[in-house]
Amino acid sequence: MKQSNDHGSLEELRGQIDECDVQLAKLLARRQELVKKAAQAKALHKDAAYSKEREQYLMQSREQMAKAAGLPAGLMSDVIKRVLRESYRSGGTGSYPKLMQGDGKVVIIGGNGGMGKIFTRYFEASGYEVTGFGHRGWDKAQEYFENARIVIVTVPIDITIEIIKKTAPYLSKDTILCDLTSVKGPIVDAMLKYHQGPVLGLHPMFGPDIKNLVKQVVVTVSAREQEKSAFLVEQLKLWGAKTVECDAYDHDKAMSIIQALRHFTTYAYGTFMASMKADLKQLLELSSPIYRLELMMVGRLFAQDPRLYADIIMSSERNLKLLSDYVEHLKPELDTVMNKDAAEFERRFLEAREYFGPLSEQFLKESGSLLAKFQDQR
């Protein structure tokens, strides 16, 4: 009889928990509606889509609320982070002020590609007139470029300079010429050579699958007449992007590591697994969260356009030299393991740890937090 009463009590408690969740859902829905109204107010006041200061305030103040309510440390922060992410995503492109003064339109060469579509959407949401065309539109080039204030080239890297050279004769000395390629040095040099007006190199550090620009990094290279393209950089910030100004060739040195080396390593790992015909289903069943996450990143690469990655990896002699050095570096590392030289392995390990310095501990904590969230989704 006591068991029956206990069961009834449990069901009653579960019912109360369910009612709490109903109220939570209603409160979250109400919050989302308020966020949409806030986004409209931001547009009217020409505020950016993302405010780091506001987000930091939310994190700190909500954690204090949680502490006062007796909740576990970090719980409220996790909830707010998820809510904010959904707020940014559900907001989509939104509606933003137009920062360009005067007349003129935006022309995007390669506007039908993934990146071209993203920027078309954002420019149009800010009230710009946008014209986009691809390789079949050059018969109407004179019409397309008429009254062009901003021209953006977003085509495969191997034909970018050719397209810049082809575009330049149509541009006025006041037209801002931009590109969206992952290589900046030779591309920016070509824009400076063939166009006499403002030049702004751009490298969006994201793929075409993003939902919005909030917190996305865009590298900017203000190569000529920076004052004339400054509004465009501010427009990116208004859309929520984080802009990082960089020298063109310093950018390319960093990208050799950030993109070429990383993508090549992932590509080689994936092709090796394919040659082994490893059982992916079994690997997933046996994997730890961190290995599953690594495997996801490998699979993610092969779900995308191979031409894109070939362009990035093979885009410069610097990249090829770096990859060659990397493969040569692996031989002594392999020899250490094959010789079962644990002492030498430890020496190399600690040498690398010293290079990373305090970032090692920081990365350990950050990855632990990410893995905990990832594990929750399994």
Side-chain angles (χ1 to χ4, degrees):
M1 189 69 176
K2 184 177 184 301
Q3 288 182 345
S4 177
N5 288 339
D6 287 346
H7 181 72
S9 177
L10 176 59
E11 289 302 310
E12 182 180 344
L13 289 170
R14 284 175 173 170
Q16 293 175 16
I17 291 171
D18 291 344
E19 180 56 32
C20 283
D21 290 344
V22 169
Q23 295 303 316
L24 275 174
K26 290 180 179 179
L27 285 171
L28 288 170
R30 181 166 178 263
R31 192 185 193 285
Q32 287 295 87
E33 287 301 313
L34 293 171
V35 165
K36 290 178 182 178
K37 292 179 180 179
Q40 294 170 357
K42 284 181 182 179
L44 290 174
H45 292 87
K46 296 189 177 183
D47 290 339
Y50 167 68
S51 168
K52 183 178 180 180
E53 293 74 19
R54 171 64 178 170
E55 186 171 289
Q56 288 177 339
Y57 164 73
L58 286 174
M59 292 296 103
Q60 294 170 1
S61 63
R62 274 39 174 184
E63 197 57 32
Q64 290 172 358
M65 293 177 189
K67 184 177 180 180
L71 294 173
L75 175 59
M76 192 68 172
S77 296
D78 286 348
V79 172
I80 290 296
K81 286 176 184 176
R82 180 65 182 85
V83 168
L84 287 174
R85 188 165 73 249
E86 189 59 35
S87 296
Y88 298 142
R89 185 167 65 176
S90 63
T93 304
S95 177
Y96 308 97
K98 176 182 177 182
L99 296 187
M100 185 180 78
Q101 299 297 315
D103 297 330
K105 63 183 178 181
V106 178
V107 179
I108 301 180
I109 307 170
N112 293 325
M115 203 62 71
K117 289 179 179 177
I118 290 173
F119 279 86
T120 295
R121 204 164 66 237
Y122 269 90
F123 276 114
E124 289 181 340
S126 296
Y128 290 83
E129 178 188 351
V130 184
T131 297
F133 70 96
H135 65 280
R136 295 178 181 174
W138 285 96
D139 57 325
K140 296 183 178 179
Q142 189 67 51
E143 175 187 339
Y144 291 150
F145 288 116
E146 186 177 355
N147 200 32
R149 182 77 174 279
I150 302 169
V151 172
I152 299 176
V153 178
T154 173
V155 297
I157 295 172
D158 60 343
I159 63 169
T160 297
I161 293 178
E162 173 192 337
I163 296 301
I164 289 170
K165 185 177 180 180
K166 192 174 182 178
T167 299
Y170 294 99
L171 310 183
S172 76
K173 60 182 179 61
D174 293 321
T175 304
I176 302 167
L177 180 59
C178 309
D179 77 297
L180 298 181
T181 58
S182 60
V183 175
K184 292 272 77 75
I187 303 300
V188 168
D189 286 348
M191 290 193 289
L192 291 170
K193 177 181 179 180
Y194 295 112
H195 177 50
Q196 300 307 306
V199 169
L200 176 65
L202 299 172
H203 180 194
M205 295 297 295
F206 50 84
D209 58 339
I210 63 160
K211 299 298 181 183
N212 56 61
L213 294 186
V214 172
K215 297 186 182 182
Q216 299 292 345
V217 174
V218 179
V219 179
T220 63
V221 180
S222 302
R224 183 193 288 140
E225 298 185 74
Q226 181 177 1
E227 70 283 357
K228 291 186 177 179
S229 61
F231 78 88
L232 184 50
V233 176
E234 291 304 311
Q235 189 75 65
L236 291 167
K237 295 177 182 178
L238 199 64
W239 292 337
K242 176 185 177 183
T243 63
V244 180
E245 176 69 19
C246 190
D247 172 79
Y249 284 94
D250 286 345
H251 163 276
D252 290 352
K253 290 177 184 177
M255 286 306 118
S256 291
I257 299 172
I258 294 170
Q259 290 193 324
L261 179 57
R262 181 67 261 164
H263 293 330
F264 173 77
T265 304
T266 303
Y267 160 80
Y269 186 84
T271 56
F272 180 63
M273 286 185 64
S275 71
M276 293 173 60
K277 300 192 183 322
D279 187 337
L280 289 173
K281 183 178 179 181
Q282 184 183 54
L283 291 177
L284 286 170
E285 288 176 346
L286 298 175
S287 67
S288 63
I290 194 165
Y291 181 70
R292 185 182 179 91
L293 187 59
E294 289 176 349
L295 194 57
M296 284 171 57
M297 297 310 295
V298 175
R300 174 184 169 83
L301 182 140
F302 291 99
Q304 299 179 71
D305 182 4
R307 171 75 180 274
L308 170 66
Y309 287 99
D311 282 348
I312 292 173
I313 293 171
M314 305 174 193
S315 63
S316 71
E317 290 300 319
R318 177 189 289 107
N319 287 356
L320 301 182
K321 176 66 167 58
L322 178 67
L323 298 181
S324 177
D325 291 346
Y326 173 64
V327 172
E328 288 184 18
H329 171 82
L330 293 177
K331 183 60 170 63
E333 301 297 344
L334 178 61
D335 289 343
T336 298
V337 173
M338 296 300 289
N339 294 332
K340 299 183 180 180
D341 190 344
E344 177 62 11
F345 181 91
E346 182 178 351
R347 186 192 69 76
R348 290 171 180 264
F349 189 101
L350 294 176
E351 189 177 75
R353 175 188 286 178
E354 184 177 352
Y355 161 74
F356 281 96
L359 285 175
S360 290
E361 289 299 320
Q362 179 183 327
F363 292 156
L364 181 63
K365 292 178 182 178
E366 289 179 0
S367 61
S369 178
L370 285 173
L371 290 171
K373 292 180 176 62
F374 178 73
Q375 183 69 358
D376 290 341
Q377 297 176 14
R378 293 192 66 175

